[in-house]
Amino acid sequence: MQETLQITAREAVERLLAGNQKYIDAKCGIGDISKEIRQRTSQHGQAPYAIIVTCSDSRVIPENIFSAGIGELFVIRLAGNVIDDHQLGSIEYAAGHLGCRLILVMGHTHCGAVEAAMNGNPKNYIKFITDEIRLAIGDETDATKACELNVAHSIHIIEDSLEIHHIEEDSGLRVIGAIYDIESGEVRLL
Ligand SMILES: [Zn+2]
C-alpha cells in the first residue's frame, strides 16, 4: 500500500521554512530517523511532502536544513543544481507518482560549481556542468546574482518539461527557487 499525502504547495513551503527555523539553532539533525518510521515507511511506502533540487556540496544537507527525517523530502542533488533528463525523470516520478506538490530548487552561497563557471576553465566532465551554468549566468560577475540566475535557469527547464507542466496544471504543483546561506543556515526564498 502506498501512502499519499494531501499537502498543498503552500503548506509545503510553510513546513520547509518552519523546519529551517528550527535548524538554524540546532546542534545536530532533528528529523525523525527512528526504528518506527523506518518500519512504517518500509511497509506503507514513502509520501514525501516536497522535492528538493540542490547542490551536492557537503555543506548543504537538505534533510538537516529543513529538520526533516525519513520519508519527508525527495532530494535530487547534483553539483551546481543543474538539471538534465535524469533529474527531470526523477522529478516526474516524485510529482506524478508520490504526490509531491512542491519543487524547491535551492542554490547556495559560495557554490564552487557556480564560481568555476564564472572564473575557471574546467575540463573533462566538469565542463558539462559549468557549460550549463554558463548558459544560465552569461557574463554575470556578482556571485549571488549568478547563483540566483542559475536557480532560475533550472526552474525554467523544469517548467518547460511538458509532463511536469501537465502535472502542474492538473494538481497545483509549484516550482519555486531559494538560496541557502551556508554560514547563517538560512533559506531565502526567491
Ligand atoms: Zn554548490
Side-chain angles (χ1 to χ4, degrees):
M1 192 188 91
Q2 177 73 48
E3 277 193 0
T4 50
L5 196 69
Q6 297 302 322
I7 181 167
T8 65
R10 179 189 291 267
E11 287 163 346
V13 171
E14 283 164 9
R15 190 160 158 186
L16 287 172
L17 292 179
N20 179 235
Q21 211 46 52
K22 282 189 210 161
Y23 160 78
I24 287 169
D25 297 314
K27 284 208 164 62
C28 55
I30 49 177
D32 186 354
I33 53 164
S34 65
K35 195 197 273 182
E36 290 71 25
I37 193 137
R38 290 204 305 269
Q39 202 169 37
R40 190 162 66 78
T41 52
S42 80
Q43 284 169 7
H44 300 292
Q46 58 172 325
Y49 73 89
I51 301 166
I52 310 290
V53 178
T54 193
C55 185
S56 302
D57 193 301
S58 63
R59 297 165 294 184
V60 180
I61 308 174
E63 285 83 356
N64 286 356
I65 291 169
F66 298 112
S67 303
I70 290 171
E72 292 190 273
L73 300 176
F74 191 93
V75 177
I76 297 159
R77 293 178 73 176
L78 205 79
N81 40 273
V82 295
I83 295 282
D84 73 12
D85 293 353
H86 300 100
Q87 283 74 41
L88 289 173
S90 300
I91 292 169
E92 266 181 26
Y93 171 67
H97 297 274
L98 300 178
C100 293
R101 290 294 163 260
L102 181 73
I103 302 169
L104 177 71
V105 180
M106 186 172 76
H108 67 97
T109 58
H110 301 288
C111 181
V114 173
E115 282 165 12
M118 288 170 72
N119 310 311
N121 190 20
K123 298 204 170 17
N124 302 322
Y125 287 108
I126 298 175
K127 196 171 176 305
F128 284 104
I129 293 172
T130 51
D131 281 354
E132 186 64 31
I133 297 173
R134 277 201 190 115
L135 284 179
I137 67 176
D139 50 12
E140 180 59 59
T141 51
D142 180 87
T144 306
K145 279 193 194 127
C147 221
E148 292 176 7
L149 287 170
N150 189 42
V151 167
H153 181 66
S154 292
I155 290 175
H156 184 69
I157 293 171
I158 293 168
E159 286 185 329
D160 248 16
S161 143
L162 262 186
E163 186 55 36
I164 290 169
H165 191 64
H166 286 313
I167 298 168
E168 199 167 15
E169 280 179 347
D170 291 349
S171 68
L173 179 76
R174 280 183 63 208
V175 192
I176 64 169
I179 300 293
Y180 171 67
D181 185 316
I182 63 165
E183 190 182 347
S184 71
E186 206 167 332
V187 173
R188 175 171 61 88
L189 296 183
L190 298 176

